C-alpha cells in the first residue's frame, strides 16, 4: 500500500521477441486491471544480463518493450513505465535482501536449474540470486499484487518468505505481496508443440506468433499449426492443438470456449485455422500501428522515460531509506 492506494507491480524482460502469448497472457490483461491500482510496470533490464546480451541489441529491445507497453494501452501519465536500471534502488535493496536469503532456498528454484542447464558455460552468481532481485523489485514499491504466470509463482513465494523474514526482525517494513488472482490472461501454447507454452526463446519460428509479425506471416503460421486427426472442433485436453486455437480465438474475440465451439461446429480445421489467423491479425494491427507511430516520436518517449524513472525513484527511495535505517546503516548528513 502507498497511502490508501493498492499497489501493483509487474515487469517483463526485453530479451527475445515478444509473442502473442506475452500479449494475450500478460500485457493485454495489465491494461484491463491497471486502473484499480497505483501501478509500476518495469522493463527489467538488470535481470536480462544474467544471460549474456549484445549491448546494442539489449538497448534496442528495452526501448521497444517500453514503447510496446504504451502501444498496448498503458497510459504512461497514470502508470509508471520505466527501466529497472534507471532506478538504483533495485540493486541496492537486492544487496540487502541477499543477506536475508539462504543458499538452500535459492538452490530449490526450478528456473535457476533450468537456466543453469541451458547456459552451462555461464552459471553466474546473478543467475543464482535472480529471485532476490525480483523480490527487491516487488518489495521496493510495497506492492500488494503481482500479476505473474505460473512459471514465476515460485519466485513470488520466495519474495513473500524474504519479506516475512525481514519483517519478523525489524517490524512491518514490507507489504507482503499476493499473486494477482483476478481474471488472468489466456495461457497460449506453442503452435508446433501444444504441450509447451508459446515462448519467445523457441528455436522454431513457426511455434510462436511474434507481435511484429505481418499479416501474411501470421496466417502462414496458423495454417501450419499442429492439430490432430480427430477432425472435430471440441474443447478438450485430448486435443491440445485445437484447444490452444480455441483459446487464442477466444482471447482475441472475447468469446468463451463454448461459444467458439458452437460457432465452428461442423467446420473443418482449415477454415478454423484461417479464422483464428484473421482474428489474430485484427488484434495485432492496431497494436503494430500504434507502436510504429510512437516509435517515431523520440522526444515523447524520451520524456516518458525521464519522468517515470523519477517517479519510480521517488517511491523506491522511500522504502530503501527505511530499510537502510532498520538494518543499521548510518544516517545521511544533509
Ligand atoms: N522474472 C520475471 C519473468 O521473467 C520478470 C520479472 C522481474 C518480474 N521482476 C519482476 C515479474 C517482478 C513480476 C514482478 O517473467
Amino acid at each position: 500500500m502507498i497511502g490508501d492506494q493498492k499497489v501493483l507491480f509487474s515487469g517483463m524482460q526485453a530479451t527475445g521477441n515478444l509473442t502473442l502469448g506475452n500479449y494475450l497472457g500478460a500485457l493485454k490483461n495489465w491494461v484491463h486491471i491497471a486502473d484499480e491500482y497505483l501501478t509500476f510496470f518495469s522493463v527489467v533490464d538488470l535481470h536480462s544480463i544474467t544471460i549474456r546480451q549484445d549491448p546494442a541489441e539489449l538497448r534496442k529491445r528495452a526501448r521497444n518493450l517500453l514503447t510496446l507497453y504504451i502501444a498496448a494501452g498503458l497510459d504512461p501519465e497514470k502508470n509508471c513505465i520505466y527501466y529497472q536500471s534507471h532506478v538504483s534502488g533495485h540493486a541496492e535493496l537486492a544487496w540487502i535482501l541477499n543477506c536475508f536469503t539462504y543458499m538452500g532456498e535459492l538452490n530449490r528454484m526450478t528456473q535457476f536449474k533450468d537456466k543453469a542447464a541451458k547456459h552451462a558455460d555461464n552459471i553466474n552468481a546473478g543467475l543464482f540470486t535472480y529471485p532476490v532481485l525480483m523480490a527487491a523489485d516487488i518489495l521496493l514499491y510495497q506492492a500488494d499484487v503481482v500479476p505473474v504466470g505460473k512459471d514465476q509463482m515460485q519466485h513470488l513465494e520466495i519474495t513473500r518468505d524474504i519479506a516475512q523474514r525481514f519483517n519478523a526482525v525489524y517490524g512491518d517494513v514490507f507489504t507482503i505481496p499476493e499473486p494477482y488472482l483476478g481474471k488472468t490472461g489466456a495461457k497460449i501454447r506453442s503452435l508446433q508443440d501444444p504441450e509447451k507454452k508459446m515462448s519467445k526463446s523457441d528455436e522454431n519460428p513457426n511455434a510462436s506468433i511474434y507481435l511484429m509479425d505481418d499479416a501474411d506471416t501470421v496466417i502462414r503460421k496458423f495454417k501450419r499449426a499442429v492439430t490432430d486427426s480427430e477432425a472435430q472442433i471440441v474443447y478438450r485436453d485430448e486435443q491440445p492443438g485445437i484447444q490452444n486455437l480455441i483459446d487464442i480465438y477466444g482471447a482475441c474475440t472475447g468469446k468463451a470456449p463454448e461459444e467458439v465451439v458452437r460457432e465452428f461446429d461442423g467446420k473443418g480445421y482449415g477454415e478454423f485455422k484461417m479464422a483464428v489467423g484473421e482474428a489474430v491479425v485484427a488484434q495485432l494491427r492496431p497494436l503494430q500501428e500504434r507502436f510504429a507511430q510512437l516509435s517515431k516520436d523520440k522526444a515523447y518517449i524520451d520524456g516518458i522515460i525521464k519522468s517515470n524513472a523519477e517517479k519510480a525513484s521517488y517511491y523506491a527511495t522511500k522504502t530503501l531509506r527505511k530499510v537502510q535505517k532498520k538494518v543499521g546503516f548510518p544516517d545521511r548528513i544533509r
Side-chain angles (χ1 to χ4, degrees):
M1 295 281 271
I2 297 182
D4 59 358
Q5 262 194 305
K6 285 210 169 199
V7 177
L8 180 151
F9 185 96
S10 202
M12 268 190 213
Q13 291 206 48
T15 32
N17 283 323
L18 277 241
T19 69
L20 185 66
N22 300 118
Y23 181 63
L24 297 178
L27 200 46
K28 190 178 172 189
N29 198 43
W30 291 0
V31 177
H32 286 135
I33 57 181
D35 282 348
E36 298 160 47
Y37 300 94
L38 178 59
T39 62
F40 297 88
F41 295 110
S42 190
V43 173
V44 293
D45 47 1
L46 299 181
H47 280 100
S48 295
I49 64 163
T50 54
I51 309 289
R52 206 64 77 223
Q53 303 292 335
D54 174 69
E57 189 68 14
L58 178 61
R59 205 174 347 263
K60 192 176 93 200
R61 286 183 192 277
R63 189 166 176 112
N64 284 347
L65 181 57
L66 186 132
T67 306
L68 197 70
Y69 283 2
I70 305 170
L74 292 171
D75 177 354
E77 303 294 330
K78 294 196 196 131
N79 305 283
C80 193
I81 292 173
Y82 72 100
Y83 296 128
Q84 186 187 30
S85 63
H86 284 190
V87 180
S88 60
H90 289 258
E92 291 181 74
L93 182 60
W95 171 255
I96 296 172
L97 297 181
N98 266 326
C99 304
F100 291 83
T101 308
Y102 298 111
M103 302 281 287
E105 282 179 298
L106 292 174
N107 262 325
R108 287 197 292 274
M109 296 290 119
T110 57
Q111 191 171 75
F112 170 70
K113 289 183 214 170
D114 291 348
K115 288 194 180 174
K118 222 168 134 185
H119 304 276
D121 57 335
N122 182 21
I123 306 175
N124 60 74
L127 192 63
F128 189 60
T129 61
Y130 178 115
V132 185
L133 178 59
M134 185 160 155
D137 299 341
I138 295 166
L139 301 178
L140 201 49
Y141 299 95
Q142 307 290 353
D144 296 88
V145 291
V146 183
V148 284
K150 253 215 325 258
D151 64 322
Q152 296 297 315
M153 270 309 253
Q154 202 183 24
H155 292 163
L156 190 60
E157 273 155 26
I158 197 176
T159 299
R160 290 166 54 87
D161 291 342
I162 295 168
Q164 273 155 351
R165 184 173 304 142
F166 194 94
N167 283 0
V169 180
Y170 300 105
D172 267 345
V173 177
F174 295 124
T175 302
I176 310 299
E178 305 274 348
Y180 180 80
L181 292 174
K183 184 182 170 300
T184 52
K187 286 177 191 53
I188 305 302
R189 286 166 282 164
S190 157
L191 298 185
Q192 292 297 316
D193 178 3
E195 304 290 346
K196 289 194 314 198
K197 86 168 193 181
M198 189 179 280
S199 164
K200 50 189 173 183
S201 51
D202 205 306
E203 275 137 37
N204 182 350
N206 289 322
S208 309
I209 301 291
Y210 299 110
L211 294 185
M212 294 302 144
D213 278 350
D214 62 30
D216 289 347
T217 307
V218 170
I219 299 288
R220 180 167 42 79
K221 287 181 181 178
F222 277 103
K223 277 189 184 157
R224 290 186 189 170
V226 167
T227 50
D228 53 55
S229 51
E230 306 269 327
Q232 50 170 359
I233 298 165
V234 182
Y235 194 76
R236 55 189 202 120
D237 293 346
E238 290 75 19
Q239 291 178 252
I242 289 294
Q243 195 175 44
N244 189 35
L245 294 180
I246 294 173
D247 281 335
I248 293 172
Y249 188 78
C252 291
T253 57
K255 291 178 185 162
E258 312 82 69
E259 279 178 85
V260 180
V261 168
R262 228 177 298 128
E263 185 174 337
F264 291 95
D265 183 36
K267 303 263 165 69
Y269 284 179
E271 190 178 337
F272 181 48
K273 284 177 173 185
M274 272 307 282
V276 181
E278 277 160 14
V280 169
V281 169
Q283 181 82 171
L284 294 185
R285 192 178 293 122
L287 183 72
Q288 292 173 346
E289 283 170 4
R290 183 117 178 81
F291 178 83
Q293 236 171 22
L294 285 164
S295 298
K296 276 188 267 173
D297 200 344
K298 182 171 187 304
Y300 171 72
I301 298 291
D302 283 351
I304 297 298
I305 289 172
K306 183 162 186 288
S307 63
N308 278 349
E310 283 164 4
K311 182 174 162 192
S313 294
Y314 167 80
Y315 291 109
T317 304
K318 272 216 233 184
T319 301
L320 187 64
R321 292 292 175 263
K322 200 163 155 189
V323 170
Q324 288 167 330
K325 197 177 166 98
K326 290 285 186 186
V327 298
F329 294 168
D331 288 338
R332 278 157 203 260
I333 312 297
R334 275 184 287 211

